[in-house]
Amino acid sequence: MTSDSALGSTDLVPPRHAEVAIVGAGPTGLTLAAELALRGTEAVVLEQLPERLPTSRSLVLHARTLEYLDMRGLAESAVLAGHRFSTYPLGSARSSVRLSGLPTRFPFALSLPQNRTEAMLERHALALGACVIRRARVIALPSDADQVRLTLDANGLRRELTCSWLVGCDGSHSTVRHAAEIAFPCRRYPDWVISADVELRTPMSEPWSRFSADGMVIVLPWGDSRGRFIIYDYRNPGSVHELTEEALRETLLRTAGRDFGFRKSLTMSRYRCEQGHAATYRQGRVLLAGDAAHVHPPTGGQGLNTGVADALNLGWKLSTAVADSEAEHLLDSYNAERSRAASRILRWTDALLKFNTMSTVLGRAARRGLLFAAPLPFLQHRMAMTLSGLDVTYRTHADAGPVGDRVPDIPVFFAGRPQRLYEVLRRGRPVHLSRSPAVRPMHGAVRAFPVLSAEQLRLYGDTLVRPDGYIADLPVSRQLGRCDA
C-alpha cells in the first residue's frame, strides 16, 4: 500500500491533499487528469465505481477528437483499435454526410466502444503520474477562498482530502454540481429511443439509416460482427411493450424492412433524451466538465467528444492557475469558451433529434425536402465540419481575427528536423510558430518554424499556438510565459 502522498497508480487509499481533485473516471476526467499531469500538476481522480464499466456506451470519436488524441500521441493506437467509416447517416442512401473531404489527417469517424477509449486514456494518465482512486465516493465538499475540503467514503472508510481545485466530471447527475448549487435547467424529450448493441451474421463497414412511415433505423458498425441499432419507432413511441430480442427483430422488420442478419443482442435499452446546461462551469474553486456541465441527445455522437474538448481546454488553463494565482482569469475563459461551444452542440443535437422523430405527414414531407437538399456541396461541407468538431472556434466575435481559431496540423521544422505541429504539441506546452530563428521564442513557448505556402505563412508565420491547438491572444501568451518559463 502506498503512502498518502504517493500518486501515479490506482490505489484504494486517497491522499490527504492534491492540487487538483477530479470526481469521475470517465473520458473527460481521465483526459483532464492526463493534461494536468503532463504539465506537472498533481492530479487525483476519484471514482465511486470499483471498476470500469464493460459496456460500449459512447461509440463514435470524431475528427477533432482524434486530432486532440494526436496532440498527445494517442491517435494512432485509437485508430488501430477502432473501425473508421467515411459517411454519417441521415436517413436515405443519397443523403449521408461525406467525411472523406474533411481538412484533417482523420477524414472519417471512428467507431470505438467507450470502455476501450477509457482504458486507453487511463493508461495514458497513469503513465504521466496522475492517480486514479476507485471506490471513492464524495459525501461532502465545503469550500472556501483557498481550498476545497472533501469528505469521502473510500472503500467503506471515511476519509478527508483537501485540494486547491475540484473538477466535477461525474456525469449528468453530478454530485459536485449539486453540492456546489450550480443551476442546471434540464428538459426531457417526449419520444423514446431504442438502442441495442447486437451481433450480426454479416459484418457491416459503413453506417446505414432509412426512414419509413413506421420509424427510423440507424445502424453504426463496429468493424466486426457487431453493430449498434438506434431506432425511433413512430408506431410505438412510448414504453408500452417489453423490449426483448423478438420485439427488437419485429421492430426492425416493420421500420426498416429487414433485420440485418441480427443474431443476438448484447445490450438493449429504451430511454428518453434530455437536454440540460449548467448555468456556469465555475463556482469559486469548483469547476464542471463533460456531462456534469452539459447533457444533450446522443444524435450525431457528440457527447464523449464534447467532454474531451472540455478537458483539453481546461487542462492547460487550470495547470497555469495552479502555478500562478494571477492566472485564475483563464478559468473564466474556460467557462466562456466551452459554454458557447456546448450551447452550439445543444442546438445541433436538438435539431437532429427533431429531424429524426418527425412522424406527422407534414413532418415527413419536410424531412424529405431536407434530405433532397442534403447532397448540395455547401450543406455537405457545413454538416461534415459541424459533426467532426473541426469548425469549433473560440473567437469572441466574427471580426476578432484569428485568435481562438483552430490551427491545422501544419508541417514545421522543430529540434533540427521536420515534424508536424501536433507532434510538437505533445509536450503540453504552447508552440511559437516563428518566421525567423533570430526571434526569441514567445513567452516561454517552444519554437517551431512553419514549412508553409505563402498564404499559410501569412496566417501562421508568427503565432502562439495554445496547448489545445488554438491561436492564443497576447495576454494569455504572457500568462503562459510566467508559468512555463
Side-chain angles (χ1 to χ4, degrees), residues 115-126:
N115 57 327
R116 297 173 70 180
T117 302
E118 287 179 357
M120 173 186 66
L121 293 172
E122 184 167 351
R123 286 193 299 269
H124 177 57
L126 293 175

Side-chain angles (χ1 to χ4, degrees), residues 37 51 107 121 233 322 324 327 338:
E51 58 187 16
L121 293 172
D233 188 351
V322 168
D324 182 357
R338 292 308 302 163

Side-chain angles (χ1 to χ4, degrees), residues 288-299:
L288 302 177
D291 288 352
H294 41 72
V295 177
H296 50 78
T299 42

